[in-house]
């Protein structure tokens, strides 16, 4: 990835974070492509976005946003699921994904500027 591509990626990520009300960081290490693709589809079906990128680019993108507190969680194999519409649909997709795939782990989340836990996501998913 050259410098122009990195700049473009940070710009796209910043735009996604600027529009989002909720963002969740997950680790997807050890997942099959099929399981990751199924999760991507469930997030998109709930009108959310799912992005995988370099951790450094994620850290740059969250600076000066409501999601800046997520910066310290971008280590290892990181992906971000965001939404600005249906938080419950995203929570249901995440909850199902994390239950069905023990290799995937929840790292951190922010909703409406506040830190959320895995327990908060499970409660939202039950609504």
């Amino acid at each position: 990835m050259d410098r122009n591509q990195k700049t473009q990626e940070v710009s796209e990520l910043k735009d996604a974070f600027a529009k989002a009300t909720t963002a969740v960081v997950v680790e997807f290490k050890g997942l099959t492509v099929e399981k990751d693709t199924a999760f991507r589809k469930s997030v998109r079906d709930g009108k959310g976005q799912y992005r995988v990128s370099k951790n450094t680019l994620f850290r740059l993108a969250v600076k000066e946003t409501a999601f800046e507190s997520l910066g310290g969680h971008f280590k290892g194999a990181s992906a971000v699921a965001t939404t600005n519409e249906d938080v419950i649909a995203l929570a249901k997709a995440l909850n199902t994904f994390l239950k069905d795939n023990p290799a995937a782990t929840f790292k951190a989340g922010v909703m409406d500027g506040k830190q959320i836990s895995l327990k908060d996501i499970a409660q939202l998913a039950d609504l």
Side-chain angles (χ1 to χ4, degrees):
M1 189 176 263
D2 68 21
R3 189 171 189 81
N4 289 335
Q5 290 172 317
K6 289 178 183 177
T7 303
Q8 178 67 28
E9 178 74 6
V10 169
S11 175
E12 289 174 10
L13 289 169
K14 267 196 175 293
D15 186 50
F17 284 118
K19 292 178 183 176
T21 58
T22 304
V24 178
V25 182
V26 295
E27 183 170 332
F28 60 93
K29 185 172 72 175
L31 287 181
T32 64
V33 173
E34 293 81 19
K35 289 181 180 182
D36 188 55
T37 302
F39 177 57
R40 285 177 189 263
K41 183 180 179 330
S42 67
V43 170
R44 278 193 311 269
D45 289 347
K47 297 186 174 123
Q49 292 182 327
Y50 177 78
R51 298 284 301 254
V52 175
S53 190
K54 293 179 178 258
N55 290 324
T56 304
L57 301 181
F58 276 136
R59 282 191 290 272
L60 289 170
V62 296
K63 282 187 179 178
E64 300 174 6
T65 70
F67 304 103
E68 193 163 6
S69 62
L70 296 177
H73 298 282
F74 294 117
K75 296 176 182 149
S78 299
V80 176
T82 60
T83 188
N84 62 343
E85 292 188 33
D86 193 352
V87 176
I88 294 174
L90 178 63
K92 286 181 181 190
L94 277 165
N95 198 41
T96 301
F97 173 70
L98 293 171
K99 281 182 182 177
D100 294 345
N101 300 292
T105 55
F106 171 85
K107 290 184 175 183
V110 172
M111 182 171 70
D112 296 326
K114 297 180 183 119
Q115 291 281 339
I116 58 172
S117 67
L118 186 55
K119 183 179 176 182
D120 296 328
I121 290 173
Q123 288 174 341
L124 283 170
D126 289 338
L127 293 177

